[in-house]
Amino acid sequence: LLDIIPHSQSIIAEFPDYYVLNIGVCDAATREIPLWISNMITKPNGGPLHRLIAILHHHLIKPNIAFFTRLRGRRAWLSTAQFQALYSDLLKTLRENTNAKIICLSINQANERVESMIPGSSENYIAYSSIIESCAQEYGCAYVDTHHLTAAAHYPDGTHYNDLGHQLMADRIL
């Protein structure tokens, strides 16, 4: 969500008839490191400190991601309050600046692989999906619940739809 907000004006300038918002999984997932550290290690051309932190993350933290996620208190990069404010602002901006129909999708439920790697994400996905549903209602947007899908059949990696998942979601959206 943080990546979308700075680009909202260029997105609006496309003048689509529909917006389908399938966002939130990155914001709701629990994380082993804070966002500012992630931003630091993924920053291109970072200095020696950035490279050292990236090496530590790759060789120490990432192999023990579940442990460090628990150590951080199973926190996501965005709190529910931050997510709600940003999601609400995005819907408000789209409503005020376009005549497009807005369709908001819930977050897919985490499978066992995701939950074992980043514990607490399943619980967050439910809470953040509730925020999405409430914001959709507040701004008169359509809400499509994805909880009828199963990871094994529709998004085997725990996040991304396979062909069947894409087809079912396209049918639901239509």
Side-chain angles (χ1 to χ4, degrees):
L1 197 54
L2 290 172
D3 293 336
I4 293 171
I5 300 298
H7 303 290
S8 62
Q9 291 307 314
S10 64
I11 293 168
I12 288 169
E14 297 293 320
F15 301 109
D17 293 326
Y18 292 89
Y19 288 98
V20 178
L21 304 179
N22 186 14
I23 55 178
V25 72
C26 292
D27 306 304
T30 57
R31 300 299 179 150
E32 76 281 10
I33 57 174
L35 180 59
W36 67 271
I37 292 177
S38 176
N39 289 339
M40 179 189 299
I41 63 178
T42 58
K43 182 180 179 181
N45 302 321
L49 180 60
H50 292 162
R51 286 192 296 277
L52 175 62
I53 292 172
I55 289 167
L56 287 173
H57 181 258
H58 182 74
H59 293 288
L60 174 67
I61 296 172
K62 221 169 182 178
N64 301 294
I65 193 169
F67 170 77
F68 283 100
T69 300
R70 285 187 196 93
L71 187 65
R72 277 195 75 237
R74 300 178 184 201
R75 288 192 309 241
W77 280 342
L78 288 180
S79 69
T80 54
Q82 291 169 313
F83 180 79
Q84 182 166 4
L86 288 168
Y87 199 90
S88 181
D89 188 50
L90 177 61
L91 293 183
K92 180 180 176 189
T93 299
L94 292 174
R95 272 279 172 247
E96 290 175 351
N97 294 288
T98 73
N99 291 322
K101 304 273 191 250
I102 303 168
I103 302 168
C104 305
L105 306 183
S106 68
I107 300 170
N108 294 339
Q109 288 303 296
N111 65 6
E112 290 178 25
R113 184 187 71 83
V114 170
E115 188 60 28
S116 68
M117 284 179 52
I118 45 178
S121 291
S122 294
E123 191 176 304
N124 278 7
Y125 291 176
I126 293 167
Y128 286 57
S129 287
S130 292
I131 291 168
I132 292 169
E133 183 176 18
S134 128
C135 288
Q137 288 174 353
E138 180 181 347
Y139 289 97
C141 304
Y143 175 76
V144 177
D145 191 342
T146 62
H147 293 110
H148 67 288
L149 302 177
T150 63
H154 305 108
Y155 50 99
D157 71 350
T159 305
H160 304 96
Y161 296 121
N162 60 15
D163 289 343
L164 178 59
H166 278 291
Q167 185 61 53
L168 287 174
M169 287 310 299
D171 292 344
R172 291 277 319 262
I173 290 167
L174 288 173

